């Protein structure tokens, strides 16, 4: 059974976020709404694409350094994973951890979380798995948890989906969640060649485009809008000035979209900004984390320094 805290943000939150975002001069929708069950499956397919280097690179780093990471976590830790998704990466850590007190995967994609947690329980029958369906950008209630040293696992450079101010809020939230002396193992994607970055978000099979358009399919289904997803083109590019990949859905034609009693007009070429993925420099990120009460202690990278996993300690 999943613990759920999403009751505090039902469809009304989705609707008010979409209405507010589409009313901005640059139309936007928060990227967390990508992840209904279909969106989570599409994201999983993205992680297996040849162009999408982050997942296999981070997995390589975890595989190569799992012993050192598990040592940092310490015996009997309580492991909390934010944006847990498929629960694949954590297996490398679980295999090395010394009798973890419990594992708490947190994700906004409830059905997908339930399925992934059931598969994990089958493979780790001795592990106390406590899945929590919650939005980590909002205040969420943790269920009753064993008293133990807390470690947050936050892989996938999911923190890169947040602008610097929101990322700082998240880092402060993580520091509070683990408490003094608690740890955080956090994956960040690093700055690199524009062509490598742009290919990763513009795969030749069109899976990222389908993932992006699925947002409109979800808005139609759950909020009763009348978007024509085929009339929007996937667009992803690197904004070098802001060190971020931006994903947009670009209206191919001038068109009008209805959502309840609201009407949104699109000019041909006008976009909805659907995601950012910030690319970092380790030193700069460490400085930001320190200012948020969680100090940088160590990092592991791949030989090409494409991706890094950081160890942070709350102080
Ligand atoms: C980029 S994917 C990463 C998935 C996985 N951790 C990995 O490394 O492959 C982001 C994950 O975070 C979840 N997510 C995004 N925003 C969230 C939020 N505000 N609260 C909880 N989960 C969120 C999504 O459902 C998705 O599983």
């Amino acid at each position: 059974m999943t613990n759920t805290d999403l009751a505090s943000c039902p469809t009304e939150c989705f609707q008010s976020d979409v209405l507010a975002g589409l009313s901005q001069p640059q139309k936007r929708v928060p990227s967390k709404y990508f992840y209904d069950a279909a969106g989570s499956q599409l994201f999983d397919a993205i992680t297996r694409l040849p162009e999408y280097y982050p997942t296999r690179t981070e997995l390589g780093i975890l595989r190569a350094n799992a012993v050192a990471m598990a040592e940092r976590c310490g015996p009997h830790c309580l492991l909390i994973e934010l944006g847990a998704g498929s629960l694949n990466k954590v297996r490398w850590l679980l295999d090395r951890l010394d009798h973890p007190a419990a594992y708490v995967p947190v994700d906004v994609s409830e059905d997908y979380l339930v399925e992934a947690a059931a598969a994990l329980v089958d493979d780790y029958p001795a592990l106390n798995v406590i899945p929590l369906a919650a939005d980590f950008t909002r205040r969420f209630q943790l269920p009753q948890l064993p008293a133990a040293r807390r470690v947050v696992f936050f892989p996938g450079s999911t923190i890169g989906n947040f602008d610097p101010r929101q990322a700082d809020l998240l880092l402060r939230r993580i520091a509070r969640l683990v408490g003094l002396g608690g740890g955080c193992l956090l994956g960040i994607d690093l700055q690199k060649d524009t062509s490598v970055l742009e290919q990763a978000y513009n795969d030749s099979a069109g899976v990222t485009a389908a993932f992006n358009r699925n947002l409109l399919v979800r808005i139609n289904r759950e909020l009763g809008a009348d978007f024509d997803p085929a009339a929007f083109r996937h667009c992803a590019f690197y904004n070098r000035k802001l060190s971020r990949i931006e994903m947009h859905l670009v209206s191919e034609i001038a068109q009008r979209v209805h959502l309840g009693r609201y009407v949104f007009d699109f000019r041909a070429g006008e976009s909805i900004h659907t995601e950012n993925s910030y690319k970092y420099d380790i030193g700069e990120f460490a400085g930001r984390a320190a200012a948020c009460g969680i100090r940088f202690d160590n990092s592991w990278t791949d030989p090409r320094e494409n991706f890094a996993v950081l160890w942070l300690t709350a102080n």
Side-chain angles (χ1 to χ4, degrees), residues 32 35 40 43 47 55 58 81-85 89 106-109 134-137 155-156 158 161-162:
K32 64 185 174 190
Y35 298 95
S40 295
F43 179 75
T47 66
T55 303
E58 189 179 31
E81 180 171 1
L82 300 182
K89 288 176 183 165
V106 179
D107 206 287
V108 79
S109 189
D135 177 348
F136 58 63
T137 63
T158 300
N161 297 147
F162 297 90

Short mmCIF file of all heavy atoms in Angstrom, two decimals, residues 32 35 40 43 47 55 58 81-85 89 106-109 134-137 155-156 158 161-162, ligand 1:
data_model
loop_
_atom_site.label_atom_id
_atom_site.label_comp_id
_atom_site.label_asym_id
_atom_site.label_seq_id
_atom_site.Cartn_x
_atom_site.Cartn_y
_atom_site.Cartn_z
N LYS A 32 6.46 19.06 -13.42
CA LYS A 32 6.00 17.90 -12.62
C LYS A 32 4.73 17.28 -13.22
O LYS A 32 4.45 16.10 -12.99
CB LYS A 32 5.75 18.30 -11.15
CG LYS A 32 4.64 19.29 -10.96
CD LYS A 32 4.56 19.71 -9.50
CE LYS A 32 3.54 20.82 -9.32
NZ LYS A 32 3.59 21.43 -7.99
N TYR A 35 4.28 13.86 -15.41
CA TYR A 35 4.36 12.50 -14.87
C TYR A 35 3.01 11.93 -14.43
O TYR A 35 2.78 11.72 -13.25
CB TYR A 35 5.39 12.45 -13.73
CG TYR A 35 6.77 12.82 -14.21
CD1 TYR A 35 7.25 14.12 -14.09
CD2 TYR A 35 7.58 11.87 -14.83
CE1 TYR A 35 8.52 14.46 -14.56
CE2 TYR A 35 8.84 12.20 -15.30
CZ TYR A 35 9.29 13.50 -15.16
OH TYR A 35 10.55 13.84 -15.63
N SER A 40 5.35 8.79 -17.04
CA SER A 40 6.43 8.07 -16.34
C SER A 40 7.00 6.97 -17.22
O SER A 40 8.21 6.74 -17.25
CB SER A 40 5.91 7.46 -15.03
OG SER A 40 5.54 8.49 -14.15
N PHE A 43 9.10 8.57 -19.83
CA PHE A 43 10.40 8.98 -19.29
C PHE A 43 11.34 7.78 -19.19
O PHE A 43 12.53 7.87 -19.51
CB PHE A 43 10.27 9.68 -17.93
CG PHE A 43 11.64 10.07 -17.41
CD1 PHE A 43 12.31 11.15 -17.95
CD2 PHE A 43 12.29 9.29 -16.45
CE1 PHE A 43 13.61 11.47 -17.55
CE2 PHE A 43 13.58 9.61 -16.04
CZ PHE A 43 14.23 10.71 -16.58
N THR A 47 15.13 7.16 -20.87
CA THR A 47 16.39 6.79 -20.19
C THR A 47 17.14 5.68 -20.93
O THR A 47 18.32 5.47 -20.67
CB THR A 47 16.14 6.32 -18.73
OG1 THR A 47 15.38 5.11 -18.76
CG2 THR A 47 15.41 7.37 -17.91
N THR A 55 21.22 9.04 -17.78
CA THR A 55 20.87 7.88 -16.95
C THR A 55 21.99 6.84 -16.94
O THR A 55 22.42 6.39 -15.87
CB THR A 55 19.56 7.23 -17.44
OG1 THR A 55 18.54 8.23 -17.40
CG2 THR A 55 19.14 6.07 -16.55
N GLU A 58 25.02 8.22 -14.97
CA GLU A 58 24.83 8.22 -13.51
C GLU A 58 24.84 6.79 -12.97
O GLU A 58 25.43 6.52 -11.92
CB GLU A 58 23.53 8.93 -13.14
CG GLU A 58 23.42 9.15 -11.62
CD GLU A 58 22.14 9.87 -11.23
OE1 GLU A 58 21.11 9.69 -11.93
OE2 GLU A 58 22.17 10.60 -10.22
N GLU A 81 14.10 8.59 -1.00
CA GLU A 81 14.43 8.97 -2.38
C GLU A 81 13.38 9.94 -2.92
O GLU A 81 12.18 9.65 -2.92
CB GLU A 81 14.53 7.74 -3.29
CG GLU A 81 14.88 8.15 -4.71
CD GLU A 81 15.22 7.00 -5.66
OE1 GLU A 81 15.19 5.83 -5.23
OE2 GLU A 81 15.51 7.30 -6.83
N LEU A 82 13.83 11.09 -3.40
CA LEU A 82 12.91 12.09 -3.96
C LEU A 82 12.82 11.94 -5.48
O LEU A 82 13.85 11.80 -6.15
CB LEU A 82 13.38 13.51 -3.61
CG LEU A 82 13.48 13.83 -2.12
CD1 LEU A 82 13.91 15.28 -1.91
CD2 LEU A 82 12.16 13.58 -1.40
N GLY A 83 11.60 11.95 -6.03
CA GLY A 83 11.42 11.77 -7.48
C GLY A 83 11.92 10.41 -7.89
O GLY A 83 12.71 10.26 -8.82
N ALA A 84 11.41 9.39 -7.21
CA ALA A 84 12.02 8.05 -7.26
C ALA A 84 11.84 7.33 -8.60
O ALA A 84 12.65 6.49 -8.97
CB ALA A 84 11.46 7.20 -6.13
N GLY A 85 10.77 7.63 -9.34
CA GLY A 85 10.58 7.04 -10.67
C GLY A 85 10.56 5.51 -10.65
O GLY A 85 9.84 4.89 -9.85
N LYS A 89 17.77 2.95 -9.98
CA LYS A 89 19.12 3.37 -9.55
C LYS A 89 19.40 2.99 -8.10
O LYS A 89 20.53 2.63 -7.75
CB LYS A 89 19.26 4.88 -9.72
CG LYS A 89 19.35 5.29 -11.17
CD LYS A 89 19.40 6.79 -11.34
CE LYS A 89 19.41 7.13 -12.82
NZ LYS A 89 19.10 8.53 -13.06
N VAL A 106 9.66 8.61 -2.75
CA VAL A 106 8.64 9.65 -2.84
C VAL A 106 8.48 10.04 -4.30
O VAL A 106 9.48 10.35 -4.97
CB VAL A 106 9.07 10.91 -2.02
CG1 VAL A 106 8.01 12.01 -2.13
CG2 VAL A 106 9.36 10.55 -0.58
N ASP A 107 7.25 10.03 -4.81
CA ASP A 107 7.04 10.46 -6.19
C ASP A 107 5.61 10.96 -6.35
O ASP A 107 4.69 10.51 -5.66
CB ASP A 107 7.31 9.32 -7.18
CG ASP A 107 7.71 9.85 -8.55
OD1 ASP A 107 6.84 10.37 -9.27
OD2 ASP A 107 8.90 9.75 -8.90
N VAL A 108 5.47 11.88 -7.31
CA VAL A 108 4.16 12.46 -7.58
C VAL A 108 3.33 11.55 -8.49
O VAL A 108 2.11 11.67 -8.57
CB VAL A 108 4.39 13.88 -8.20
CG1 VAL A 108 4.76 13.79 -9.67
CG2 VAL A 108 3.24 14.80 -7.96
N SER A 109 3.98 10.59 -9.15
CA SER A 109 3.30 9.71 -10.10
C SER A 109 2.86 8.45 -9.35
O SER A 109 3.57 7.44 -9.30
CB SER A 109 4.29 9.37 -11.24
OG SER A 109 3.64 8.69 -12.27
N ALA A 134 3.67 11.89 -3.07
CA ALA A 134 3.63 13.29 -2.60
C ALA A 134 4.38 14.19 -3.58
O ALA A 134 5.21 13.72 -4.36
CB ALA A 134 4.27 13.40 -1.21
N ASP A 135 4.05 15.47 -3.51
CA ASP A 135 4.72 16.49 -4.31
C ASP A 135 5.78 17.13 -3.40
O ASP A 135 5.43 17.82 -2.44
CB ASP A 135 3.68 17.52 -4.76
CG ASP A 135 4.28 18.66 -5.55
OD1 ASP A 135 5.52 18.81 -5.57
OD2 ASP A 135 3.50 19.42 -6.15
N PHE A 136 7.05 16.89 -3.72
CA PHE A 136 8.10 17.37 -2.79
C PHE A 136 8.31 18.89 -2.90
O PHE A 136 9.11 19.43 -2.15
CB PHE A 136 9.40 16.59 -2.94
CG PHE A 136 10.01 16.61 -4.33
CD1 PHE A 136 10.43 17.78 -4.92
CD2 PHE A 136 10.19 15.42 -5.02
CE1 PHE A 136 10.98 17.79 -6.19
CE2 PHE A 136 10.75 15.42 -6.30
CZ PHE A 136 11.14 16.62 -6.88
N THR A 137 7.63 19.57 -3.84
CA THR A 137 7.74 21.03 -3.88
C THR A 137 6.76 21.68 -2.91
O THR A 137 6.79 22.89 -2.70
CB THR A 137 7.49 21.60 -5.30
OG1 THR A 137 6.14 21.29 -5.68
CG2 THR A 137 8.46 21.04 -6.30
N PRO A 155 18.56 11.39 -7.27
CA PRO A 155 19.34 11.21 -8.51
C PRO A 155 18.65 11.83 -9.72
O PRO A 155 17.62 12.50 -9.60
CB PRO A 155 19.37 9.68 -8.63
CG PRO A 155 18.05 9.25 -8.08
CD PRO A 155 17.68 10.24 -7.00
N GLY A 156 19.23 11.60 -10.89
CA GLY A 156 18.56 11.95 -12.15
C GLY A 156 18.66 13.41 -12.53
O GLY A 156 18.03 13.85 -13.48
N THR A 158 17.18 15.65 -11.19
CA THR A 158 15.83 16.21 -11.10
C THR A 158 15.89 17.62 -10.51
O THR A 158 15.07 18.47 -10.87
CB THR A 158 14.92 15.29 -10.25
OG1 THR A 158 14.88 14.00 -10.88
CG2 THR A 158 13.51 15.81 -10.13
N ASN A 161 15.58 20.55 -12.84
CA ASN A 161 14.30 20.98 -13.41
C ASN A 161 13.75 22.23 -12.72
O ASN A 161 12.71 22.75 -13.10
CB ASN A 161 13.24 19.87 -13.32
CG ASN A 161 13.60 18.64 -14.13
OD1 ASN A 161 13.29 17.52 -13.77
ND2 ASN A 161 14.28 18.82 -15.26
N PHE A 162 14.48 22.67 -11.70
CA PHE A 162 13.99 23.82 -10.93
C PHE A 162 14.89 25.02 -11.14
O PHE A 162 16.12 24.87 -11.24
CB PHE A 162 13.92 23.44 -9.43
CG PHE A 162 12.95 22.33 -9.19
CD1 PHE A 162 13.36 21.00 -9.23
CD2 PHE A 162 11.60 22.60 -8.99
CE1 PHE A 162 12.45 19.96 -9.06
CE2 PHE A 162 10.69 21.58 -8.82
CZ PHE A 162 11.11 20.25 -8.85
C1 LIG B 1 13.73 13.25 -14.24
S1 LIG B 1 12.72 11.99 -13.54
C2 LIG B 1 13.94 11.08 -12.62
C3 LIG B 1 13.50 9.71 -12.24
C4 LIG B 1 14.56 8.88 -11.50
N1 LIG B 1 14.84 9.46 -10.18
C5 LIG B 1 15.83 8.77 -12.28
O1 LIG B 1 16.86 9.22 -11.79
O2 LIG B 1 15.81 8.22 -13.38
C6 LIG B 1 11.87 12.89 -12.30
C7 LIG B 1 11.05 12.06 -11.34
O3 LIG B 1 10.61 12.91 -10.29
C8 LIG B 1 9.20 12.84 -10.14
N2 LIG B 1 8.78 14.20 -9.79
C9 LIG B 1 8.87 15.32 -10.55
N3 LIG B 1 8.44 16.38 -9.87
C10 LIG B 1 8.06 15.91 -8.65
C11 LIG B 1 7.51 16.53 -7.49
N4 LIG B 1 7.29 17.86 -7.47
N5 LIG B 1 7.25 15.76 -6.40
C12 LIG B 1 7.48 14.41 -6.43
N6 LIG B 1 7.99 13.78 -7.50
C13 LIG B 1 8.27 14.52 -8.60
C14 LIG B 1 8.67 12.36 -11.48
O4 LIG B 1 7.44 11.67 -11.36
C15 LIG B 1 9.82 11.44 -11.94
O5 LIG B 1 9.67 10.14 -11.46
#
